[in-house]
Amino acid sequence: MGDLQCLQDFIRCLDEQSLPRILQICSGVYFQGSVYELSGSEVCLSTGDLVKVIGLNALSVFCEEIATGNSFELSAEYSGQFTLIAEDLPYNTIEEIVGLCPIGVDACGSFSFKSRNKLNVENFTVPAEEPLTLILIEVAEDGTRQARCQLTGQNMVSAEILLPLSLKGEFYECECDRGYSLQEIMTSARLKTRRFRSTHAKNIGGPIIFSPVYEIKAIMHMRKDIVKFPSTLEVDVQDVTEQFEDLVFITPLSIAEVASQPQESFPTMAEILEGPGGNAFFKCNWIQELYKDRHLVLHGLGHTQMVLASTPKGRKEKKYFLISQGYSGRMRRKAREFVSVYELYLASCQCPGLKVSVTRHCEAVEEEGIPALSVGDQLEVLDRTVNSPGTQSIQNLICKRTTEVDDEDDEDEEDDSEELSLPLFMAGHFMEKLTDNKKYNLKDLINKSLPIDIKVVTRDKELETDPLVGLTSLKLEETFLETVVLISLPNKPDWCFELPVRWLQMSLCFTSEPLPWPDSGSPKLYVETVTEVTENFYHEYHKATNKVEEPPPRPPKRKPSTTAVPKKSSKSKSGLPKKGSKVTEQLENLSLGKAKVRRAPAPPLPDDDDDNSMEPPPILPRKSISISDSITQPNTYVRGPIMANSARRTSDSEHDYETVDETFKNTHDSIMHY
């Protein structure tokens, strides 16, 4: 049983490699039955309670200057360096140095010491005050332990010497120039209790000691979930690990920790301590059953090959699935559609000798090297080349085009074929040519080159509902190996589902409940081999596997046209083309099928000196129109009274319109409308 210590002092000297440790609450501010809310959960620390510390998380570090008593706080990620201050107290034996040196035996090469007196070891003499650097600990043939030390003499000549750990003397630690990071100091139980000096002594001052603040991760004896509380609580504790070594604590396990258990631990019962809150990866039915306090049957664990599949884009929402290798549905291959030559190239890399049929006409563009394609052309992908027209490199896909002969009489004539060079940036519409109508199972398709398009034609009879049946098309994209835990619910122990370890964050604990089936043996298991996942899972998977698709190549920039661009015609100050220019000649040659009539020049502007310049122009008398004129020349622009205003606006137009048929004339035609 350990000594009574303040919680903060105990954690400061605790070696994390020794976890877990069992502590007993003895006394302090937290009296019997007190309840406190820490880190969002209620924690009750009563006198006599047992707490099992299972982890530490550094939050910050309080630093105190020994000389002035000033204190300040540093972040746990502080990147500054500190040098160790040598202790003034002497060591009496070499064994004491090995046990109390601030660095472990595996890395004690930086610890140096010196002897106050001269040392005589066998036939070798070590002068007084000569620095010795501890290298490692060795075991002699007779079983005695010895310290191998390095001695650096004059002219930097070094030698190694073996000192027995029982060697007595007066030894002192030497000053060391090595710098330690705050992270190194906090993770070493021996360094945490030492004094240091900052390498930036001007900013901080003299010797300082560190008091780290941790978030303690622990489990209570009579509590299922994990509790977290800071190490600064003013409570006294006692280490009782050896006394209560056989005490059973509820041990929370993550899914990854469950998957690391031996196979002999299964099947067993478990209880969910913390469910996968905020799930963003799964859309299946069993995800709703994973909530806190839910009991589960753990059948075992394994490594399952899975296929990532997706439906094509369309009017319906795109779906994504994880299909386990145990899926027994039958499926047929479906011809893939490609909308660019670049997609043809990607598919041909996975499936050499790819054959497609052109489903839409494509016009030739000579400037960009695009050939003409017709509906029905048969293309076989041969190779990829790089052409260099000019300064820009263009990648092309070499295909063989075959045109079938429709003449049935000429049976001996072979199909015409030619090689085409299709730029990868070229758009098009192609359909894959398939020669078989065979039904495949998933294992057969996995062995082929992926991706491929399929359609499920026969459901998996072992599934209650097969979500893949009824889908018009499904693309099998790629396969991967996933570690899974096989789980079922107690009310339906034979219907199981696979939990992918990488994609679920939840906490479980094993329980001693009996298995929900007779002792004669476990029932036959039916496994849900299809798991619907979200689009977020799809993208996160590709991020985790670093599979980022490269964008298709862009078409080259169009070369400037070789035809001369006509220069802008010069204009006069008034903004009109000058007389004699080409534009003027073209305007003069325009006509509407009539003789050319030159417009009369505009009248000159009145002089400013003219007295009558401010008078309005004279009003001309209205032209008289007789009734006979209106009868002989009817208004052909008016179809009825409703069009009267329109006819008045267009009465001066020179356009010819069809005359109104005699049957549609009425009395309104003989009336002039204004």
Side-chain angles (χ1 to χ4, degrees):
M1 183 177 293
D3 298 332
L4 191 65
Q5 287 180 282
C6 174
L7 176 63
Q8 188 170 6
D9 292 340
F10 175 82
I11 296 298
R12 184 164 61 92
C13 303
L14 178 64
D15 185 3
E16 294 187 39
Q17 302 298 326
S18 65
L19 294 179
R21 307 297 295 180
I22 301 175
L23 305 181
Q24 187 174 32
I25 307 299
C26 296
S27 62
V29 176
Y30 298 92
F31 52 86
Q32 179 78 23
S34 297
V35 178
Y36 298 87
E37 186 175 353
L38 302 173
S39 301
S41 61
E42 290 184 353
V43 178
C44 177
L45 297 177
S46 304
T47 302
D49 281 351
L50 297 177
V51 179
K52 189 174 185 179
V53 179
I54 60 176
L56 298 176
N57 181 28
L59 299 177
S60 61
V61 179
F62 280 100
C63 306
E64 181 182 356
E65 294 184 11
I66 298 176
T68 62
N70 297 330
S71 61
F72 53 91
E73 185 177 6
L74 294 177
S75 171
E77 289 78 22
Y78 179 73
S79 58
Q81 296 286 318
F82 301 89
T83 55
L84 183 65
I85 298 177
E87 296 286 354
D88 297 332
L89 297 177
Y91 296 94
N92 297 321
T93 61
I94 300 296
E95 187 174 8
E96 189 177 351
I97 294 176
V98 173
L100 298 178
C101 66
I103 307 168
V105 176
D106 295 336
C108 58
S110 61
F111 183 78
S112 299
F113 62 96
K114 59 186 177 180
S115 173
R116 178 67 60 87
N117 304 313
K118 181 174 60 175
L119 297 177
N120 295 317
V121 181
E122 295 181 353
N123 298 327
F124 195 85
T125 301
V126 179
E129 303 294 333
E130 191 71 25
L132 291 166
T133 301
L134 185 62
I135 300 176
L136 54 86
I137 305 300
E138 295 182 358
V139 180
E141 294 181 356
D142 57 356
T144 60
R145 300 173 66 200
Q146 297 176 326
R148 180 175 291 275
C149 301
Q150 186 179 37
L151 176 66
T152 304
Q154 297 180 355
N155 299 325
M156 302 301 293
V157 177
S158 62
E160 292 185 0
I161 183 174
L162 290 174
L163 301 179
L165 296 188
S166 59
L167 181 63
K168 296 182 179 181
E170 189 177 353
F171 307 102
Y172 290 88
E173 182 181 355
C174 296
E175 291 287 347
C176 180
D177 296 333
R178 178 191 169 183
Y180 295 90
S181 67
L182 196 60
Q183 185 69 21
E184 290 177 317
I185 297 172
M186 293 301 101
T187 54
S188 173
R190 291 168 177 165
L191 287 176
K192 284 189 293 186
T193 60
R194 297 294 301 271
R195 298 178 302 160
F196 288 85
R197 180 181 290 109
S198 173
T199 54
H200 304 286
K202 295 181 180 179
N203 298 333
I204 296 182
I208 56 177
I209 56 175
F210 298 112
S211 297
V213 178
Y214 292 96
E215 181 185 62
I216 301 175
K217 186 178 180 181
I219 53 178
M220 310 290 289
H221 181 216
M222 302 302 293
R223 189 165 179 165
K224 296 179 181 179
D225 53 344
I226 298 175
V227 296
K228 298 177 182 179
F229 51 89
S231 61
T232 54
L233 295 182
E234 297 180 6
V235 59
D236 293 335
V237 296
Q238 194 173 18
D239 190 346
V240 292
T241 304
E242 289 74 16
Q243 182 179 355
F244 293 95
E245 186 176 2
D246 298 332
L247 186 65
V248 177
F249 281 80
I250 296 176
T251 305
L253 300 173
S254 64
I255 286 294
E257 291 172 335
V258 170
S260 64
Q261 301 296 316
Q263 286 285 0
E264 294 77 16
S265 304
F266 304 97
T268 185
M269 298 294 294
E271 182 181 348
I272 299 178
L273 300 178
E274 185 177 355
N279 167 67
F281 292 149
F282 299 94
K283 296 178 65 176
C284 46
N285 294 330
W286 51 258
I287 195 67
Q288 302 175 1
E289 301 291 341
L290 304 180
Y291 52 85
K292 187 176 180 180
D293 299 331
R294 188 69 157 103
H295 290 258
L296 302 173
V297 183
L298 307 186
H299 295 272
L301 51 93
H303 303 281
T304 303
Q305 189 174 20
M306 291 188 171
V307 182
L308 180 63
S310 63
T311 58
K313 294 181 180 179
R315 292 178 296 177
K316 295 183 178 180
E317 181 184 2
K318 191 172 182 179
K319 295 185 176 182
Y320 306 90
F321 299 94
L322 289 181
I323 308 175
S324 178
Q325 62 182 358
Y327 180 77
S328 61
R330 307 282 286 179
M331 51 196 74
R332 284 194 179 99
R333 290 196 58 187
K334 191 173 181 180
R336 291 174 288 179
E337 296 184 11
F338 309 99
V339 294
S340 68
V341 177
Y342 181 70
E343 292 185 6
L344 280 182
Y345 160 68
L346 295 179
S348 65
C349 294
Q350 300 289 338
C351 181
L354 178 66
K355 295 182 180 181
V356 296
S357 177
V358 179
T359 58
R360 187 177 297 183
H361 289 288
C362 179
E363 296 182 358
V365 182
E366 296 182 358
E367 294 82 359
E368 298 180 358
I370 298 178
L373 297 177
S374 301
V375 174
D377 286 350
Q378 311 296 317
L379 302 179
E380 180 181 357
V381 180
L382 300 179
D383 195 5
R384 182 178 68 119
T385 61
V386 178
N387 298 338
S388 300
T391 59
Q392 188 172 11
S393 176
I394 302 177
Q395 296 181 349
N396 294 270
L397 194 66
I398 306 302
C399 301
K400 183 175 73 172
R401 177 167 62 181
T402 303
T403 304
E404 297 180 357
V405 179
D406 295 335
D407 190 2
E408 298 178 357
D409 298 333
D410 193 0
E411 298 180 355
D412 297 334
E413 185 177 355
E414 296 182 357
D415 296 343
D416 296 333
S417 62
E418 61 174 332
E419 287 191 1
L420 294 179
S421 180
L422 306 179
L424 293 188
F425 63 82
M426 174 182 171
H429 291 79
F430 312 95
M431 179 70 72
E432 183 181 13
K433 292 189 65 178
L434 297 178
T435 57
D436 68 318
N437 196 28
K438 179 182 176 182
K439 291 183 180 180
Y440 293 90
N441 57 37
L442 187 62
K443 293 183 179 179
D444 295 336
L445 294 177
I446 288 177
N447 297 329
K448 295 182 178 293
S449 298
L450 298 182
I452 56 176
D453 290 357
I454 58 98
K455 178 178 174 59
V456 177
V457 294
T458 305
R459 65 181 294 270
D460 187 344
K461 297 180 180 179
E462 293 187 356
L463 299 179
E464 289 183 331
T465 57
D466 190 342
L468 304 183
V469 174
L471 298 177
T472 57
S473 179
L474 190 66
K475 175 179 286 187
L476 306 181
E477 299 192 11
E478 55 185 298
T479 62
F480 59 94
L481 197 64
E482 186 68 42
T483 303
V484 298
V485 178
L486 194 61
I487 291 179
S488 67
L489 303 177
N491 56 337
K492 298 177 66 175
D494 53 340
W495 290 97
C496 305
F497 47 90
E498 298 171 322
L499 293 186
V501 172
R502 279 193 300 170
W503 306 101
L504 276 177
Q505 299 294 331
M506 55 184 299
S507 177
L508 304 173
C509 70
F510 292 163
T511 64
S512 57
E513 297 178 68
L515 295 170
W517 55 71
D519 296 336
S520 57
S522 60
K524 180 181 178 181
L525 302 180
Y526 301 90
V527 183
E528 292 281 348
T529 52
V530 180
T531 303
E532 185 175 358
V533 295
T534 63
E535 184 178 3
N536 191 17
F537 174 92
Y538 182 81
H539 294 303
E540 289 296 327
Y541 169 79
H542 285 288
K543 287 181 182 179
T545 54
N546 295 323
K547 294 182 179 179
V548 180
E549 296 183 0
E550 297 182 358
R554 293 184 177 181
K557 295 181 179 180
R558 292 181 179 271
K559 296 181 180 180
S561 178
T562 55
T563 58
V565 179
K567 297 182 179 180
K568 295 183 179 180
S569 58
S570 58
K571 296 183 180 181
S572 61
K573 294 182 179 180
S574 61
L576 299 175
K578 291 184 178 180
K579 186 176 182 181
S581 65
K582 293 182 179 181
V583 178
T584 305
E585 294 176 1
Q586 293 175 0
L587 292 174
E588 291 177 352
N589 293 333
L590 292 176
S591 64
L592 296 176
K594 298 180 181 180
K596 297 179 182 178
V597 179
R598 191 175 300 276
R599 179 178 293 180
L605 295 174
D607 297 332
D608 295 339
D609 298 337
D610 191 358
D611 296 334
N612 299 329
S613 61
M614 299 303 293
E615 296 180 0
I619 299 177
L620 298 178
R622 185 182 298 273
K623 185 177 180 181
S624 61
I625 300 176
S626 63
I627 298 177
S628 61
D629 293 338
S630 65
I631 296 175
T632 57
Q633 296 180 359
N635 186 359
T636 58
Y637 298 100
V638 179
R639 296 180 179 271
I642 196 171
M643 299 296 293
N645 295 333
S646 174
R648 184 175 58 183
R649 290 194 300 267
T650 59
S651 60
D652 296 334
S653 175
E654 296 179 0
H655 296 287
D656 296 332
Y657 290 84
E658 295 181 0
T659 58
V660 182
D661 192 73
E662 292 294 330
T663 58
F664 293 96
K665 289 184 178 181
N666 51 36
T667 57
H668 296 285
D669 295 336
S670 60
I671 301 174
M672 180 64 67
H673 299 276
Y674 289 95

mmCIF file of all heavy atoms in Angstrom, residues 164-184:
data_model
loop_
_atom_site.group_PDB
_atom_site.id
_atom_site.type_symbol
_atom_site.label_atom_id
_atom_site.label_comp_id
_atom_site.label_asym_id
_atom_site.label_seq_id
_atom_site.Cartn_x
_atom_site.Cartn_y
_atom_site.Cartn_z
ATOM 1 N N PRO A 164 31.514 -1.702 -11.439
ATOM 2 C CA PRO A 164 30.472 -2.506 -10.763
ATOM 3 C C PRO A 164 29.478 -1.596 -10.053
ATOM 4 O O PRO A 164 29.839 -0.541 -9.527
ATOM 5 C CB PRO A 164 31.271 -3.362 -9.777
ATOM 6 C CG PRO A 164 32.551 -2.642 -9.586
ATOM 7 C CD PRO A 164 32.853 -1.909 -10.853
ATOM 8 N N LEU A 165 28.225 -2.019 -10.065
ATOM 9 C CA LEU A 165 27.190 -1.197 -9.444
ATOM 10 C C LEU A 165 27.391 -1.068 -7.937
ATOM 11 O O LEU A 165 26.897 -0.125 -7.322
ATOM 12 C CB LEU A 165 25.799 -1.783 -9.735
ATOM 13 C CG LEU A 165 25.352 -1.823 -11.203
ATOM 14 C CD1 LEU A 165 23.888 -2.246 -11.278
ATOM 15 C CD2 LEU A 165 25.548 -0.499 -11.892
ATOM 16 N N SER A 166 28.149 -1.997 -7.363
ATOM 17 C CA SER A 166 28.380 -1.938 -5.905
ATOM 18 C C SER A 166 29.527 -1.006 -5.540
ATOM 19 O O SER A 166 29.827 -0.845 -4.346
ATOM 20 C CB SER A 166 28.667 -3.339 -5.379
ATOM 21 O OG SER A 166 29.814 -3.893 -6.038
ATOM 22 N N LEU A 167 30.162 -0.383 -6.533
ATOM 23 C CA LEU A 167 31.283 0.502 -6.254
ATOM 24 C C LEU A 167 30.806 1.712 -5.455
ATOM 25 O O LEU A 167 29.869 2.400 -5.834
ATOM 26 C CB LEU A 167 31.925 0.961 -7.570
ATOM 27 C CG LEU A 167 33.136 1.886 -7.437
ATOM 28 C CD1 LEU A 167 34.290 1.176 -6.731
ATOM 29 C CD2 LEU A 167 33.561 2.400 -8.805
ATOM 30 N N LYS A 168 31.479 1.963 -4.310
ATOM 31 C CA LYS A 168 31.091 3.061 -3.438
ATOM 32 C C LYS A 168 32.000 4.257 -3.666
ATOM 33 O O LYS A 168 33.146 4.128 -4.113
ATOM 34 C CB LYS A 168 31.139 2.637 -1.973
ATOM 35 C CG LYS A 168 30.149 1.544 -1.610
ATOM 36 C CD LYS A 168 30.219 1.202 -0.136
ATOM 37 C CE LYS A 168 29.218 0.117 0.244
ATOM 38 N NZ LYS A 168 29.264 -0.211 1.698
ATOM 39 N N GLY A 169 31.484 5.443 -3.340
ATOM 40 C CA GLY A 169 32.251 6.658 -3.494
ATOM 41 C C GLY A 169 31.366 7.868 -3.256
ATOM 42 O O GLY A 169 30.233 7.768 -2.742
ATOM 43 N N GLU A 170 31.852 9.015 -3.663
ATOM 44 C CA GLU A 170 31.096 10.263 -3.559
ATOM 45 C C GLU A 170 30.972 10.825 -4.984
ATOM 46 O O GLU A 170 31.917 11.417 -5.506
ATOM 47 C CB GLU A 170 31.809 11.253 -2.634
ATOM 48 C CG GLU A 170 30.978 12.478 -2.306
ATOM 49 C CD GLU A 170 31.695 13.402 -1.325
ATOM 50 O OE1 GLU A 170 32.764 13.016 -0.807
ATOM 51 O OE2 GLU A 170 31.191 14.527 -1.091
ATOM 52 N N PHE A 171 29.824 10.604 -5.546
ATOM 53 C CA PHE A 171 29.616 10.950 -6.951
ATOM 54 C C PHE A 171 28.632 12.119 -7.047
ATOM 55 O O PHE A 171 27.651 12.180 -6.297
ATOM 56 C CB PHE A 171 29.082 9.750 -7.734
ATOM 57 C CG PHE A 171 29.914 8.499 -7.580
ATOM 58 C CD1 PHE A 171 29.504 7.471 -6.733
ATOM 59 C CD2 PHE A 171 31.105 8.359 -8.273
ATOM 60 C CE1 PHE A 171 30.265 6.325 -6.586
ATOM 61 C CE2 PHE A 171 31.872 7.211 -8.131
ATOM 62 C CZ PHE A 171 31.452 6.197 -7.281
ATOM 63 N N TYR A 172 28.913 13.003 -8.030
ATOM 64 C CA TYR A 172 28.050 14.161 -8.264
ATOM 65 C C TYR A 172 27.660 14.213 -9.752
ATOM 66 O O TYR A 172 28.458 13.828 -10.627
ATOM 67 C CB TYR A 172 28.768 15.454 -7.875
ATOM 68 C CG TYR A 172 28.977 15.611 -6.403
ATOM 69 C CD1 TYR A 172 30.120 15.091 -5.780
ATOM 70 C CD2 TYR A 172 28.043 16.277 -5.618
ATOM 71 C CE1 TYR A 172 30.320 15.228 -4.415
ATOM 72 C CE2 TYR A 172 28.238 16.425 -4.249
ATOM 73 C CZ TYR A 172 29.369 15.898 -3.658
ATOM 74 O OH TYR A 172 29.556 16.029 -2.302
ATOM 75 N N GLU A 173 26.482 14.715 -9.964
ATOM 76 C CA GLU A 173 25.986 14.858 -11.341
ATOM 77 C C GLU A 173 26.668 16.043 -12.022
ATOM 78 O O GLU A 173 26.888 17.092 -11.409
ATOM 79 C CB GLU A 173 24.461 15.062 -11.321
ATOM 80 C CG GLU A 173 23.840 15.168 -12.691
ATOM 81 C CD GLU A 173 22.329 15.385 -12.618
ATOM 82 O OE1 GLU A 173 21.796 15.359 -11.490
ATOM 83 O OE2 GLU A 173 21.711 15.601 -13.672
ATOM 84 N N CYS A 174 27.020 15.862 -13.291
ATOM 85 C CA CYS A 174 27.636 16.930 -14.072
ATOM 86 C C CYS A 174 26.571 17.730 -14.811
ATOM 87 O O CYS A 174 25.482 17.213 -15.143
ATOM 88 C CB CYS A 174 28.631 16.351 -15.089
ATOM 89 S SG CYS A 174 30.052 15.520 -14.364
ATOM 90 N N GLU A 175 26.905 18.976 -15.058
ATOM 91 C CA GLU A 175 26.007 19.808 -15.851
ATOM 92 C C GLU A 175 25.935 19.274 -17.287
ATOM 93 O O GLU A 175 26.953 18.841 -17.844
ATOM 94 C CB GLU A 175 26.496 21.255 -15.866
ATOM 95 C CG GLU A 175 26.372 21.964 -14.526
ATOM 96 C CD GLU A 175 24.922 22.311 -14.188
ATOM 97 O OE1 GLU A 175 24.062 22.228 -15.087
ATOM 98 O OE2 GLU A 175 24.660 22.660 -13.014
ATOM 99 N N CYS A 176 24.730 19.329 -17.865
ATOM 100 C CA CYS A 176 24.507 18.817 -19.225
ATOM 101 C C CYS A 176 23.923 19.931 -20.079
ATOM 102 O O CYS A 176 23.027 20.664 -19.638
ATOM 103 C CB CYS A 176 23.581 17.607 -19.193
ATOM 104 S SG CYS A 176 23.247 16.908 -20.820
ATOM 105 N N ASP A 177 24.433 20.055 -21.283
ATOM 106 C CA ASP A 177 23.961 21.104 -22.196
ATOM 107 C C ASP A 177 22.787 20.660 -23.056
ATOM 108 O O ASP A 177 22.282 21.439 -23.857
ATOM 109 C CB ASP A 177 25.105 21.563 -23.111
ATOM 110 C CG ASP A 177 26.222 22.214 -22.324
ATOM 111 O OD1 ASP A 177 25.921 22.758 -21.244
ATOM 112 O OD2 ASP A 177 27.379 22.170 -22.791
ATOM 113 N N ARG A 178 22.389 19.430 -22.910
ATOM 114 C CA ARG A 178 21.302 18.938 -23.750
ATOM 115 C C ARG A 178 19.995 19.641 -23.417
ATOM 116 O O ARG A 178 19.697 19.907 -22.251
ATOM 117 C CB ARG A 178 21.131 17.429 -23.563
ATOM 118 C CG ARG A 178 19.964 16.881 -24.384
ATOM 119 C CD ARG A 178 19.618 15.464 -24.017
ATOM 120 N NE ARG A 178 18.348 15.079 -24.621
ATOM 121 C CZ ARG A 178 17.748 13.911 -24.435
ATOM 122 N NH1 ARG A 178 18.296 13.026 -23.643
ATOM 123 N NH2 ARG A 178 16.596 13.642 -25.011
ATOM 124 N N GLY A 179 19.199 19.954 -24.444
ATOM 125 C CA GLY A 179 17.900 20.574 -24.245
ATOM 126 C C GLY A 179 16.776 19.554 -24.273
ATOM 127 O O GLY A 179 16.797 18.607 -25.067
ATOM 128 N N TYR A 180 15.806 19.736 -23.392
ATOM 129 C CA TYR A 180 14.647 18.848 -23.318
ATOM 130 C C TYR A 180 13.398 19.640 -23.687
ATOM 131 O O TYR A 180 13.234 20.790 -23.248
ATOM 132 C CB TYR A 180 14.478 18.268 -21.908
ATOM 133 C CG TYR A 180 15.602 17.355 -21.465
ATOM 134 C CD1 TYR A 180 16.722 17.872 -20.804
ATOM 135 C CD2 TYR A 180 15.542 15.994 -21.703
ATOM 136 C CE1 TYR A 180 17.752 17.042 -20.390
ATOM 137 C CE2 TYR A 180 16.568 15.155 -21.291
ATOM 138 C CZ TYR A 180 17.673 15.683 -20.644
ATOM 139 O OH TYR A 180 18.685 14.849 -20.242
ATOM 140 N N SER A 181 12.526 19.012 -24.460
ATOM 141 C CA SER A 181 11.244 19.642 -24.769
ATOM 142 C C SER A 181 10.271 19.412 -23.621
ATOM 143 O O SER A 181 10.463 18.514 -22.791
ATOM 144 C CB SER A 181 10.665 19.082 -26.070
ATOM 145 O OG SER A 181 10.305 17.723 -25.900
ATOM 146 N N LEU A 182 9.227 20.210 -23.585
ATOM 147 C CA LEU A 182 8.229 20.064 -22.522
ATOM 148 C C LEU A 182 7.534 18.710 -22.613
ATOM 149 O O LEU A 182 7.177 18.107 -21.603
ATOM 150 C CB LEU A 182 7.211 21.209 -22.617
ATOM 151 C CG LEU A 182 6.330 21.450 -21.386
ATOM 152 C CD1 LEU A 182 7.182 21.786 -20.185
ATOM 153 C CD2 LEU A 182 5.339 22.582 -21.658
ATOM 154 N N GLN A 183 7.371 18.202 -23.832
ATOM 155 C CA GLN A 183 6.733 16.905 -24.006
ATOM 156 C C GLN A 183 7.607 15.794 -23.426
ATOM 157 O O GLN A 183 7.101 14.859 -22.782
ATOM 158 C CB GLN A 183 6.472 16.665 -25.506
ATOM 159 C CG GLN A 183 5.709 15.398 -25.822
ATOM 160 C CD GLN A 183 4.264 15.458 -25.351
ATOM 161 O OE1 GLN A 183 3.727 16.527 -25.147
ATOM 162 N NE2 GLN A 183 3.650 14.302 -25.181
ATOM 163 N N GLU A 184 8.927 15.872 -23.618
ATOM 164 C CA GLU A 184 9.831 14.861 -23.057
ATOM 165 C C GLU A 184 9.818 14.895 -21.536
ATOM 166 O O GLU A 184 9.861 13.846 -20.883
ATOM 167 C CB GLU A 184 11.254 15.100 -23.574
ATOM 168 C CG GLU A 184 11.441 14.784 -25.042
ATOM 169 C CD GLU A 184 12.845 15.108 -25.518
ATOM 170 O OE1 GLU A 184 13.357 16.188 -25.143
ATOM 171 O OE2 GLU A 184 13.431 14.285 -26.244
#
